Amino acid sequence: MTDSSPKLLEIVPLLEAIVGERNILLHPESYLYDETPKPVRPEAERNVVVVRPASTEEVSRILRLANERGIPVFVRGGGTGLSGGAIPTRPGIVMSMERMSRIVEIDEQNLVAVCEAGVTLRQLLEAVEKVPGLSFPPHPGDESAQIGGLVANNAGGARAVKYGVMRNYVLGLEVVLPSGDVLSLGGKVIKNVTGYDLMHLIIGSEGTLCVITKAILRLIPEPGATYTLVIPFDTTAEAIRTVPEILRSGVVPLALEYMDIEAVRAGERVTGKKWPYSGGKAHLMIIVDGGTEDELMHKSEVIERVARRHGALDVLVGVGRREQRDILEIRSLIYEGLKEETIEVLDVSVPIGSIAEFVERCQDEAERLGIKVLHFGHAGDGNVHQQVLRWGFEGDEWVESYSKFKEFAFGLARELGGYITAEHGIGMVKKEDMARTMPETALTLMRAIKRVFDPNNILNPGKVIDP
Amino acid sequence: MTDSSPKLLEIVPLLEAIVGERNILLHPESYLYDETPKPVRPEAERNVVVVRPASTEEVSRILRLANERGIPVFVRGGGTGLSGGAIPTRPGIVMSMERMSRIVEIDEQNLVAVCEAGVTLRQLLEAVEKVPGLSFPPHPGDESAQIGGLVANNAGGARAVKYGVMRNYVLGLEVVLPSGDVLSLGGKVIKNVTGYDLMHLIIGSEGTLCVITKAILRLIPEPGATYTLVIPFDTTAEAIRTVPEILRSGVVPLALEYMDIEAVRAGERVTGKKWPYSGGKAHLMIIVDGGTEDELMHKSEVIERVARRHGALDVLVGVGRREQRDILEIRSLIYEGLKEETIEVLDVSVPIGSIAEFVERCQDEAERLGIKVLHFGHAGDGNVHQQVLRWGFEGDEWVESYSKFKEFAFGLARELGGYITAEHGIGMVKKEDMARTMPETALTLMRAIKRVFDPNNILNPGKVIDP
């Protein structure tokens, strides 16, 4: 804590009694921010106590205490979010889930993993890898993300085309309400229609309704080997028109990514590696998986036929492990490599058939405003990433152009029947955009639901939904 | 209406002004019941007005009127439910969605179908069939079910093992709140994390939160041809132990059904057809799908190897269309054929690995109570159907044995980490069972959510959640 708030100081000994002195941090430096780009992230409130509970029981006692005294609680997972959802913005408690990092079990009989909320994606993947024949398919990016955060944000990622988002893998949750009450939802069952589905309401609620302490996740058989195809086109429209045709060809790719040539170039610069094709304005990167070489070849051929019919300049099939890894690295490191030069990464969701129009009109608008925007993303599920760069701007000069661009992109996404965020979430960063673009009837319901779960507004106040 | 309730009589002219005289029915005979077995279904209230709106606007005006005057509204889809969810139990309005039967569009570019709520499953399947390469995979049974009802009940069915339940295919909904406000949720987008997911809360809420008027459904590529395998075992335990092994073999079947020999025999009697294997106490019926004969043969072989390792008495592979249709018919007509002799069809959900224990202990208990129970169901997703028959009972003699059996089965399901209903829903029939088996914390949240959407408790009052 940087200054002394009597309300907060008072509870420090009470928190110590719950988690032990060692798990209270009064100098919260490394618990203040997440991966949200600096230019747009909110200023963190430094007058906070970091508490690191080790059990559901401790989480419950902390919440009950905070709720009785009306003290805000900011739950923190791996801190890999891009919307400022983990940043404390008022004096209060930062509850870090890092000590709840136990994989309770990998249940081979029921094909599920049971994890505490603080288990990282990396930990889970390693544990599942040890079990022959099983896998956990979602891969929403940074592997230091924690399961609780992945669920709270309904994380997506490139493999969602074939394997779906986090929501599709959550079978059960243990959560703690602000009252301290512990609630088990779902379980090791696949189907369940007993009453309202509170679990599905909580998935994606960004820590504003309750604290997730445990998750029961579905595992599936290993997908087998992969091929990675790179398919360049002359225009965005041609590349994007190919996408629904591929999706209905009967071959469902593991990943179906769009990248404009500017994004490819940026990825090459960051990695020092070379993309397999140097021309073309718009590229598709497609990963297929399969149990046999025959199956992989068959899938690649089907996609090649569709792509050539839609004007592909070439179809390059990466077969070797290293070759595929290099391609993926170029795609994956665009954000990481350009982080320091990034204003924000937008992630609108639009109908698949409208991606081309969205990208082309945004490209034009960016040019008009003199702002550099790299376009890439999960074309197979209509999720476009727009990495907005500060290139060519001094100091804060970017602010006006950027806010105009964002307003244009969000307006266009809504006009095309889409939404302002597909997987990064609202957090602090898009809060006002959500209020502006969502009908009042929906907001009113959301605020009332927030009040049902969190009547004293202690969980992540100021984020997503203010009651 | 059988007697005159002043409150109801008053609104008849107002309802006529909304939907026209022809769409008001005062003799509601064919709108009173659904497919719930007679012995357990509630008595319908006959003092009701049937209203048949043709548009969202009309639904909105009817609800606003009912809400202002506190008149209950019972929404009715295809009337194929098994839990009495469509049965009016208080004087009020039965709102039949049958006239909202327009398929708004099959959008090939975005791989979605947009339907009004009253479109039947059959209509949708026929419309999708006309589009080469596309399909709508869920098949929850009776094709006269309507889309609105399928969504409101999060319907499941045999194909859920591979293709998931209705929830996995709903991309967007248009709903009308009791206030008359119309709300569009989701859309033609696959990913969306903008705010709380009201859409997923409404899926499975059984018409108690709002009236669904339109749905945007995801379509996927056609699955190709199928083989149907019949695999007999000597014991339930052996059959069920095979299930997770098949699921992790890398082959994901379209359907993975369990049937005890009693259920097989009943299906044979009903259809007059012969099951391909006459011995064995416990049978698995497995459907695999694939694009080529090679793929189908490969999948069948993998399953055969696993099954033989677990004590299968034989593995019979149905390849021909007629042969496969006959097998499926025996499975499908068990319920239909024995309807008149049925007390109830239970559909608990348990972890896959616990099906054997559940079935065996229930078989023992049924024997002890002298009540006939056929066991079959979707073993691939832990959903066991128990068709309880009145064989051997006169008149109402069954009541005591049956209620003891139900209490045993529901208690055991909960003990094994399962739930009392996997896909049939709560409706009227399981209302008290839900209240009894669900923790008070969850019920309290559900009641509060009901009040948020429906403060005057006009939608399906007396069902699922009473606020």
Side-chain angles (χ1 to χ4, degrees):
Chain A
M1 286 186 285
T2 50
D3 57 59
S4 49
S5 151
K7 215 166 155 192
L8 266 186
L9 279 178
E10 251 174 59
I11 61 157
V12 171
L14 301 172
L15 291 171
E16 278 179 7
I18 298 170
V19 296
E21 203 179 325
R22 289 191 330 167
N23 294 304
I24 302 283
L25 308 174
L26 299 179
H27 299 286
E29 290 317 311
S30 54
Y31 291 85
L32 293 179
Y33 289 104
D34 56 13
E35 292 291 325
T36 309
K38 274 184 200 148
V40 294
R41 76 185 187 191
E43 192 59 40
E45 168 64 54
R46 309 182 91 76
N47 189 25
V48 291
V49 191
V50 180
V51 186
R52 304 186 302 176
S55 68
T56 303
E57 169 63 21
E58 289 181 7
V59 171
S60 168
R61 289 172 65 195
I62 295 164
L63 286 183
R64 185 167 291 136
L65 177 66
N67 197 38
E68 279 164 11
R69 302 189 176 220
I71 295 169
V73 177
F74 301 90
V75 192
R76 185 181 179 86
T80 61
L82 291 164
S83 303
I87 302 175
T89 48
R90 299 183 189 181
I93 295 169
V94 170
M95 188 191 284
S96 171
M97 304 304 283
E98 68 201 282
R99 291 175 69 221
M100 294 190 65
S101 59
R102 202 163 54 94
I103 295 179
V104 181
E105 71 177 313
I106 304 286
D107 176 346
E108 298 185 42
Q109 197 62 16
N110 290 304
L111 291 89
V112 299
V114 183
C115 303
E116 289 185 336
V119 167
T120 63
L121 177 60
R122 184 171 307 121
Q123 247 183 296
L124 173 66
L125 293 175
E126 281 170 5
V128 173
E129 225 166 64
K130 286 186 195 136
V131 185
L134 287 185
S135 73
F136 180 71
H139 197 284
D142 194 327
E143 292 185 0
S144 57
Q146 292 177 7
I147 300 304
L150 292 173
V151 174
N153 289 279
N154 187 23
R159 287 156 150 243
V161 185
K162 179 161 185 176
Y163 291 108
V165 296
M166 276 304 287
R167 181 183 300 286
N168 305 108
Y169 293 86
V170 182
L171 297 179
L173 290 179
E174 180 190 77
V175 303
V176 185
L177 301 175
S179 61
D181 286 340
V182 179
L183 194 57
S184 282
L185 300 165
K188 290 181 178 177
V189 293
I190 296 168
K191 284 169 166 177
N192 173 23
V193 293
T194 311
Y196 298 157
D197 208 317
L198 301 176
M199 186 179 87
H200 276 287
L201 175 63
I202 289 166
I203 297 170
S205 64
E206 301 190 25
T208 63
L209 296 180
C210 53
V211 176
I212 296 167
T213 46
K214 210 181 278 171
I216 301 178
L217 301 171
R218 185 176 192 173
L219 304 177
I220 67 160
E222 259 177 323
T226 61
Y227 281 3
T228 302
L229 286 73
V230 167
I231 313 180
F233 294 84
D234 265 335
T235 67
T236 305
E238 281 173 316
I240 295 302
R241 264 201 295 273
T242 314
V243 172
E245 294 305 317
I246 292 171
L247 292 176
R248 55 190 281 197
S249 69
V251 171
V252 183
L254 179 69
L256 206 177
E257 302 276 303
Y258 167 83
M259 296 170 72
D260 67 22
I261 190 67
E262 297 268 5
V264 172
R265 296 275 168 278
E268 284 184 324
R269 271 194 305 278
V270 168
T271 57
K273 294 198 164 136
K274 222 182 126 34
W275 192 250
Y277 192 91
S278 64
K281 192 174 166 241
H283 289 227
L284 295 180
M285 185 202 88
I286 302 174
I287 307 178
V288 291
D289 60 357
T292 61
E293 289 289 317
D294 271 4
E295 195 182 333
L296 287 165
M297 267 163 59
H298 168 73
K299 288 182 176 177
S300 304
E301 279 163 19
V302 171
I303 292 174
E304 170 155 9
R305 266 200 304 278
V306 174
R308 293 212 184 263
R309 214 163 45 227
H310 285 79
L313 299 171
D314 203 344
V315 175
L316 302 117
V317 184
V319 172
R321 274 184 88 122
R322 172 183 291 181
E323 193 183 358
Q324 295 191 66
R325 204 178 48 213
D326 285 354
I327 296 171
L328 200 59
E329 204 177 313
I330 293 174
R331 158 67 183 88
S332 305
L333 290 185
I334 300 172
Y335 170 67
E336 196 58 25
L338 294 172
K339 217 158 89 175
E340 293 305 312
E341 302 153 63
T342 297
I343 296 168
E344 187 168 5
V345 190
L346 304 176
D347 80 314
V348 305
S349 171
V350 292
I352 299 166
S354 304
I355 298 176
E357 180 178 352
F358 179 80
V359 171
E360 286 175 345
R361 287 176 63 185
C362 282
Q363 278 166 341
D364 288 351
E365 183 69 9
E367 204 166 309
R368 209 182 61 77
L369 292 166
I371 194 164
K372 191 82 201 158
V373 180
L374 304 180
H375 284 84
F376 55 98
H378 316 313
D381 45 35
N383 179 192
V384 184
H385 289 309
Q386 300 179 296
Q387 187 147 355
V388 188
L389 302 174
R390 53 199 309 166
W391 292 354
F393 292 108
E394 299 286 331
D396 280 352
E397 276 177 19
W398 55 268
V399 174
E400 199 189 325
S401 297
Y402 170 64
S403 66
K404 278 185 184 155
F405 178 77
K406 186 172 80 163
E407 204 178 316
F408 177 83
F410 285 176
L412 182 56
R414 292 297 293 142
E415 182 190 321
L416 296 170
Y419 286 86
I420 64 171
T421 175
E423 57 181 20
H424 291 173
I426 300 295
M428 284 303 285
V429 167
K430 300 194 198 76
K431 221 188 102 171
E432 277 153 38
D433 302 306
M434 182 170 99
R436 208 162 33 77
T437 56
M438 185 161 280
E440 193 51 40
T441 313
L443 284 171
T444 303
L445 288 173
M446 291 181 196
R447 288 191 197 105
I449 288 171
K450 166 73 170 169
R451 277 192 301 270
V452 164
F453 281 79
D454 183 15
N456 300 325
N457 192 26
I458 64 159
L459 286 177
N460 273 357
K463 304 229 171 78
V464 193
I465 294 292
D466 264 329
Chain B
M1 285 186 286
T2 50
D3 56 60
S4 49
S5 150
K7 215 165 154 194
L8 267 185
L9 279 179
E10 250 174 60
I11 61 158
V12 171
L14 302 172
L15 292 171
E16 278 179 7
I18 297 171
V19 296
E21 205 179 322
R22 292 193 327 172
N23 295 304
I24 302 283
L25 307 174
L26 299 179
H27 299 286
E29 291 316 310
S30 54
Y31 291 86
L32 293 179
Y33 289 104
D34 56 14
E35 293 290 326
T36 309
K38 274 184 201 148
V40 295
R41 76 184 187 192
E43 192 59 38
E45 167 65 53
R46 309 182 90 76
N47 190 25
V48 291
V49 191
V50 179
V51 186
R52 304 185 302 174
S55 67
T56 304
E57 169 64 21
E58 289 180 8
V59 172
S60 167
R61 289 172 65 194
I62 296 163
L63 286 183
R64 185 166 290 137
L65 177 66
N67 197 38
E68 278 165 10
R69 301 187 177 223
I71 295 170
V73 178
F74 301 90
V75 192
R76 184 180 179 87
T80 61
L82 292 164
S83 303
I87 302 175
T89 47
R90 300 183 189 180
I93 295 170
V94 170
M95 190 193 284
S96 170
M97 304 304 282
E98 67 199 283
R99 291 177 68 221
M100 295 190 64
S101 60
R102 203 164 54 95
I103 295 180
V104 181
E105 70 176 313
I106 304 286
D107 176 346
E108 298 186 42
Q109 196 62 17
N110 290 305
L111 292 88
V112 301
V114 184
C115 303
E116 289 184 337
V119 167
T120 63
L121 178 59
R122 184 171 306 121
Q123 246 182 297
L124 173 65
L125 293 176
E126 281 170 5
V128 173
E129 225 165 63
K130 286 186 194 136
V131 185
L134 286 186
S135 73
F136 180 71
H139 197 284
D142 194 327
E143 293 186 0
S144 56
Q146 291 176 7
I147 300 304
L150 293 173
V151 174
N153 289 280
N154 188 23
R159 287 156 152 245
V161 186
K162 179 161 185 177
Y163 291 109
V165 296
M166 276 304 288
R167 182 183 298 286
N168 305 108
Y169 292 86
V170 182
L171 297 179
L173 290 179
E174 180 190 77
V175 303
V176 184
L177 301 175
S179 62
D181 286 341
V182 180
L183 195 57
S184 282
L185 301 165
K188 292 181 177 177
V189 292
I190 296 167
K191 285 170 167 176
N192 173 23
V193 293
T194 311
Y196 298 156
D197 208 317
L198 302 176
M199 186 179 86
H200 276 286
L201 175 64
I202 289 166
I203 297 170
S205 64
E206 301 191 24
T208 63
L209 296 180
C210 53
V211 175
I212 296 167
T213 46
K214 211 181 279 171
I216 302 178
L217 301 171
R218 186 175 191 173
L219 304 176
I220 68 160
E222 259 177 322
T226 61
Y227 281 3
T228 302
L229 286 73
V230 168
I231 312 180
F233 293 83
D234 265 335
T235 66
T236 305
E238 281 173 316
I240 295 301
R241 264 202 294 273
T242 314
V243 173
E245 293 305 318
I246 291 171
L247 293 175
R248 54 188 282 196
S249 69
V251 171
V252 184
L254 179 68
L256 206 178
E257 301 276 303
Y258 167 83
M259 295 170 72
D260 66 24
I261 192 66
E262 297 268 6
V264 172
R265 295 275 170 275
E268 285 184 324
R269 272 194 304 276
V270 168
T271 57
K273 294 197 166 138
K274 226 185 124 33
W275 192 251
Y277 192 91
S278 63
K281 192 175 166 239
H283 289 227
L284 295 181
M285 185 202 87
I286 302 174
I287 307 177
V288 292
D289 60 355
T292 62
E293 289 289 316
D294 271 6
E295 196 181 334
L296 287 163
M297 269 163 60
H298 168 73
K299 288 183 175 176
S300 304
E301 279 162 20
V302 170
I303 291 173
E304 170 156 11
R305 264 199 305 277
V306 174
R308 293 214 184 260
R309 213 162 47 228
H310 285 80
L313 299 171
D314 203 345
V315 175
L316 301 118
V317 183
V319 172
R321 275 184 88 122
R322 172 182 294 181
E323 192 183 358
Q324 294 192 67
R325 205 180 45 213
D326 286 354
I327 296 171
L328 199 58
E329 205 178 312
I330 294 174
R331 159 67 184 88
S332 304
L333 290 185
I334 300 173
Y335 171 66
E336 195 58 24
L338 293 172
K339 218 158 90 177
E340 292 306 312
E341 302 153 62
T342 297
I343 297 170
E344 187 168 4
V345 190
L346 304 176
D347 79 314
V348 304
S349 171
V350 293
I352 299 166
S354 304
I355 297 176
E357 180 178 352
F358 179 79
V359 170
E360 287 175 344
R361 287 176 63 186
C362 283
Q363 277 165 342
D364 289 350
E365 182 69 8
E367 204 166 310
R368 210 182 61 77
L369 291 166
I371 194 164
K372 192 79 200 156
V373 180
L374 304 180
H375 284 85
F376 55 97
H378 315 313
D381 46 35
N383 179 190
V384 184
H385 289 308
Q386 300 179 297
Q387 187 147 354
V388 188
L389 301 174
R390 52 198 311 163
W391 293 353
F393 292 109
E394 299 286 331
D396 280 352
E397 276 176 19
W398 54 268
V399 173
E400 199 188 327
S401 297
Y402 170 65
S403 67
K404 277 185 186 156
F405 178 77
K406 186 172 82 163
E407 204 179 317
F408 176 84
F410 284 176
L412 183 56
R414 293 295 294 141
E415 182 190 322
L416 297 170
Y419 286 86
I420 64 172
T421 175
E423 56 181 21
H424 292 174
I426 300 295
M428 284 302 286
V429 168
K430 299 193 199 77
K431 222 189 104 171
E432 277 153 38
D433 302 306
M434 181 170 102
R436 207 162 34 76
T437 56
M438 186 161 280
E440 192 51 41
T441 312
L443 283 172
T444 304
L445 287 172
M446 290 181 195
R447 288 192 196 106
I449 288 171
K450 166 74 171 171
R451 278 193 299 271
V452 165
F453 280 79
D454 183 16
N456 300 326
N457 192 24
I458 63 159
L459 286 177
N460 273 356
K463 305 230 171 76
V464 194
I465 293 293
D466 265 330

